[in-house]
Amino acid sequence: YDYIHDEGAGAAPLQLNCFSNSLVQYTEFARIISTPSWHGEMVTDEGPGGNNTYRYNRFIDTQGSGVIVALTPVPPVTLSNYYIYGNVFWQQHTGNYIGDGIIACLNGQTCSHWYFYNNTIANFGGSASANGAGWFEASTASTDIQIKNNIWYNSTNVSFSTTAPGQINHDYNYFVDSTGSLTETHGETGTGNI
């Protein structure tokens, strides 16, 4: 039970290195600042790591690269078996933008066996050239990324971008008053309050 909030530019509220077999739960992360020289994120995971769970957390007013982001090390490393479920990703101020997606795997990191289920994503915006309220996968080596049973509400430019076909399996999501890549075999769209 933590409340991590109001971090200035140049700080990541939770910065992880060699983080494995861990649980982050019942934490509220709120308000991080991003600048052109420091692209903020609530959680920076530098790996290598595995078997980590993020559940029942609230991520409020994030701006920058993303909310949970794997990035940085040279040479790139592998982050595997991540379970992200039951969280709320919420923008109170719709002027905040995410450049690479709610979850992003950047700079050649390999993110395999990541499961993003039963989360609520509300009021996220993204520019036309950004991934906005979705997921961005930059490594061709990543496999088995599952995005299912989530609710996107009032979010723009929802997308699930990847550099290699078949890396991301997204389905059974519900998109309410949202825009972007909303086509799924079993996905649903709607309008109005939920």
Side-chain angles (χ1 to χ4, degrees), residues 36-187:
S37 60
W38 179 265
H39 301 181
E41 54 269 339
M42 289 293 186
V43 177
T44 302
D45 197 331
E46 297 182 351
N51 199 35
N52 293 319
T53 300
Y54 297 87
R55 68 180 185 190
Y56 316 135
N57 300 294
R58 293 183 358 149
F59 299 92
I60 302 169
D61 285 341
T62 302
Q63 56 179 288
S65 296
V67 180
I68 299 174
V69 181
L71 80 163
T72 303
V74 177
V77 296
T78 298
L79 298 95
S80 60
N81 300 313
Y82 277 61
Y83 307 91
I84 303 166
Y85 62 89
N87 299 289
V88 175
F89 299 85
W90 176 39
Q91 298 291 67
Q92 290 178 312
H93 306 288
T94 56
N96 293 340
Y97 289 98
I98 296 297
D100 293 309
I102 300 288
I103 310 295
C105 187
L106 305 175
N107 301 346
Q109 308 309 326
T110 299
C111 295
S112 293
H113 312 292
W114 282 51
Y115 306 100
F116 188 79
Y117 291 174
N118 303 322
N119 298 287
T120 301
I121 301 93
N123 300 327
F124 270 84
S127 68
S129 62
N131 293 301
W135 183 297
F136 180 68
E137 178 56 48
S139 171
T140 57
S142 297
T143 60
D144 191 29
I145 296 168
Q146 305 285 328
I147 304 169
K148 296 183 178 181
N149 298 323
N150 301 289
I151 297 172
W152 270 266
Y153 176 76
N154 194 35
S155 295
T156 59
N157 197 30
V158 177
S159 66
F160 308 103
S161 300
T162 181
T163 55
Q167 290 176 310
I168 297 176
N169 179 2
H170 60 94
D171 206 355
Y172 298 98
N173 294 295
Y174 185 36
F175 305 96
V176 181
D177 293 329
S178 296
T179 63
S181 304
L182 310 181
T183 56
E184 297 180 341
T185 302
H186 303 100

